[in-house]
Amino acid sequence: MSNGRYEELKITSVFLLILMAATLAGCLPKQTYRVYERLILHFQTPHGPTTASGVGVKTYRYYPERLPLTNTELTSSFGGEAIVIDFGPERKTFALIPRGTGHVVAYGAFDAEYDKDPAATLEALAQTPDLFSVRSVPKKFWPQLVVFEDPLNPLIVRRAKLSDIFPQAEPGYALTGVEIEILDETPTTQKIVDILPWLTTLQTSSIDGVAGVISLDRPLSNELYGMEFIRKETE
C-alpha cells in the first residue's frame, strides 16, 4: 500500500471515529451550562505593571455517563476572540484563543471544586458567578502571544518575544501572570476584526490561505487558523 493511500485511509478512519462519537454523544444525557469568562493577562513593563483582557462565553456540556470512545465527561464551545494587547501603535500583539482547553473548566482555575462535584461547580459558575473570586490560570493554559509586523498582512507573523513588546529589554517572557474572572452575562469583546480585517475572508485553511503542511520549516502563518483569533459558539 502506498504512503498516500495509507494516509488517506488513516484520515478517513479518524473522521469516522469522530462522527461516531458525535452521534453517540447526541444520544447521551448531558447537562449544559453557559459561563461568561474574562481572561486577564498581566505584564511587567519598564513603566510598571499593565494588563490586557477580553470577555468570552463558554458553553460547558457535562456527561455524567462519559462519552464513548474518548471516556470524556466534559466538552465546551467558546465564543469570543483573541485578546488585543496594546503596547503602542507599532506593536500589534495578540493573545490567541488557547487550544486544548475544551475538557477543562475555566482554563483549569477551578479544578479543585470541579473534582469534588462537577455538576454543582458548573451550575454555580453559570448561575452565581459573584461567589467566585478572580483565580490564577495554571501556566500550561496560558495563551500564545503573536506579533504582526503589518496587521493587514497575515503572512508576517511571529511568536512574541520580550524584545518585540518592550524594545531594549532583557531577553525573557513578558507575560507574568494570567487570571480568570467569572462574570454575570456580559457582552463579549468584539474589536479584533477592526485590526485584522482579513479574518472575515478566511475559509477553513490556515491564515496564509494554504492547507496545512508538515515541514520542519513550516511558517507560523501556516500553523495558525482563524479560530485562534475569533470563534463563534457552536451548539
Side-chain angles (χ1 to χ4, degrees):
M1 181 183 297
S2 67
N3 288 337
R5 179 60 176 163
Y6 175 76
E7 289 299 321
E8 182 180 334
L9 289 174
K10 187 164 66 172
I11 292 171
T12 301
S13 299
V14 171
F15 173 77
L16 290 174
L17 285 173
I18 293 173
L19 182 61
M20 185 185 301
T23 301
L24 292 172
C27 301
L28 286 177
K30 66 176 180 291
Q31 299 163 20
T32 303
Y33 307 91
R34 189 173 171 85
V35 179
Y36 289 85
E37 304 173 352
R38 185 195 311 276
L39 201 62
I40 307 165
L41 281 61
H42 294 266
F43 297 88
Q44 185 63 43
T45 80
H47 308 291
T50 189
T51 62
S53 67
V55 176
V57 57
K58 277 187 185 170
T59 297
Y60 293 98
R61 301 171 190 86
Y62 173 62
Y63 297 86
E65 298 178 13
R66 292 183 175 266
L67 292 173
L69 303 180
T70 60
N71 196 37
T72 300
E73 69 176 9
L74 183 72
T75 64
S76 68
S77 57
F78 177 79
E81 60 182 42
I83 297 172
V84 180
I85 306 163
D86 185 7
F87 294 125
E90 297 181 359
R91 296 178 185 86
K92 298 302 182 185
T93 307
F94 303 86
L96 303 181
I97 298 171
R99 299 179 181 180
T101 58
H103 305 316
V104 297
V105 175
Y107 307 100
F110 295 86
D111 282 355
E113 291 92 337
Y114 181 84
D115 290 344
K116 291 179 181 178
D117 194 332
T121 300
L122 291 166
E123 182 176 359
L125 289 170
Q127 298 184 8
T128 55
D130 54 307
L131 295 180
F132 297 94
S133 59
V134 176
R135 300 286 185 92
S136 294
V137 171
K139 196 168 186 178
K140 65 180 178 179
F141 293 124
W142 286 15
Q144 177 181 329
L145 303 186
V146 298
V147 175
F148 286 93
E149 295 285 351
D150 177 359
L152 299 181
N153 185 352
L155 299 180
I156 310 177
V157 60
R158 64 173 182 266
R159 291 179 177 86
K161 300 177 182 178
L162 189 58
S163 57
D164 293 323
I165 302 171
F166 309 122
Q168 300 165 347
E170 292 297 323
Y173 198 53
L175 185 59
T176 59
V178 179
E179 294 179 319
I180 189 166
E181 180 182 11
I182 306 301
L183 307 169
D184 289 316
E185 184 171 347
T186 305
T188 59
T189 304
Q190 296 181 20
K191 60 182 178 180
I192 199 168
V193 170
D194 293 335
I195 302 171
L196 305 176
W198 44 264
L199 284 171
T200 61
T201 64
L202 286 180
Q203 301 299 319
T204 57
S205 64
S206 49
I207 66 172
D208 63 1
V210 179
V213 297
I214 300 176
S215 171
L216 293 177
D217 58 354
R218 180 184 181 187
L220 183 58
S221 61
N222 191 250
E223 296 180 26
L224 301 178
Y225 290 80
M227 64 184 299
E228 294 175 270
F229 293 89
I230 188 167
R231 196 177 300 178
K232 293 182 179 180
E233 266 193 301
T234 57
E235 294 298 330

